Amino acid sequence: MIFTATLSTIATLNLYFTGALAAFDSVSQVAANNVVYINSATDYCMIVPSTPATNIGDSERPGGEQTFCTNPYDPSLQGTFPSDFFQAGKAAYVAGSGVNGQPFVQLTGCINVGSIDRLNAADFGGQYDSNGGEGGMGNPQGSACLGFQFYVELMEPAANRACLKCCDDPADCPVTMDTDGCQAVIPGNYFDCNS
């Protein structure tokens, strides 16, 4: 009986894992600690600094970044965001078509900076992306958004704000505006993050 329950539990977990990542055909093509994705406002992975209390700009170096997820699919390589990383009622998930009709998904909103130890609350932020950085190799290099060709992510701890957009058209994920902030790079709902 215990053996049957264990097999049943494994089958259930396998179905959940398969279902949760079914939309992502590139899971095995990208290192689990170098990936982002957006499945909903409560199911996502983002890049954060790999060490505590680090400025985003200071983390932009080989080994300085790590993937954190709300539902890690490889807990040995990915950190776990608490359920309140995005403030309650202050996260907006949008799936749509971009400027040239290609699909995109985005997550914008207000974050609880102190909910993970990786962010410096006084940091004005920085950008991670799939095709910027040195030689256009991404920052972190080789990073990708599952199910899409491009992504751009900004973390702005001092403003309690973060945003992530995954897209198939680079025009929808600009990587040359890294000092302009979330609201310029990824237009969307940012609520009132300082209240």
Side-chain angles (χ1 to χ4, degrees):
M1 188 63 144
I2 292 172
F3 183 71
T4 303
T6 302
L7 286 178
S8 174
T9 301
I10 290 170
T12 301
L13 288 172
N14 189 36
L15 284 173
Y16 171 77
F17 178 79
T18 303
L21 297 176
F24 308 125
D25 58 3
S26 57
V27 169
S28 63
Q29 299 169 0
V30 180
N33 63 346
N34 206 20
V35 69
V36 299
Y37 78 78
I38 311 167
N39 205 27
S40 71
T42 58
D43 185 13
Y44 55 88
C45 290
M46 298 177 82
I47 303 291
V48 298
S50 62
T51 55
T54 302
N55 291 337
I56 302 301
D58 294 338
S59 75
E60 296 175 358
R61 58 179 170 70
E65 308 99 339
Q66 180 184 5
T67 295
F68 266 54
C69 304
T70 52
N71 299 299
Y73 62 88
D74 188 341
S76 68
L77 294 175
Q78 298 169 326
T80 302
F81 279 124
S83 60
D84 69 343
F85 179 69
F86 274 92
Q87 296 174 20
K90 292 188 175 184
Y93 167 81
V94 175
S97 297
V99 295
N100 296 311
Q102 295 298 309
F104 74 83
V105 293
Q106 70 181 41
L107 180 60
T108 61
C110 308
I111 59 172
N112 288 307
V113 175
S115 67
I116 63 170
D117 69 349
R118 306 305 169 125
L119 303 176
N120 173 2
D123 179 20
F124 288 102
Q127 176 177 300
Y128 302 116
D129 55 61
S130 58
N131 56 318
E134 190 174 323
M137 300 298 294
N139 185 23
Q141 284 192 1
S143 62
C145 181
L146 299 181
F148 290 88
Q149 295 182 42
F150 307 99
Y151 84 89
V152 60
E153 171 193 326
L154 287 89
M155 287 273 180
E156 300 173 341
N160 299 311
R161 186 170 43 231
C163 55
L164 171 63
K165 187 171 189 176
C166 299
C167 56
D168 282 336
D169 183 343
D172 297 322
C173 290
V175 298
T176 59
M177 301 167 55
D178 56 335
T179 60
D180 293 351
C182 276
Q183 294 167 313
V185 177
I186 305 174
N189 192 345
Y190 291 95
F191 309 91
D192 181 7
C193 294
N194 291 317
S195 63

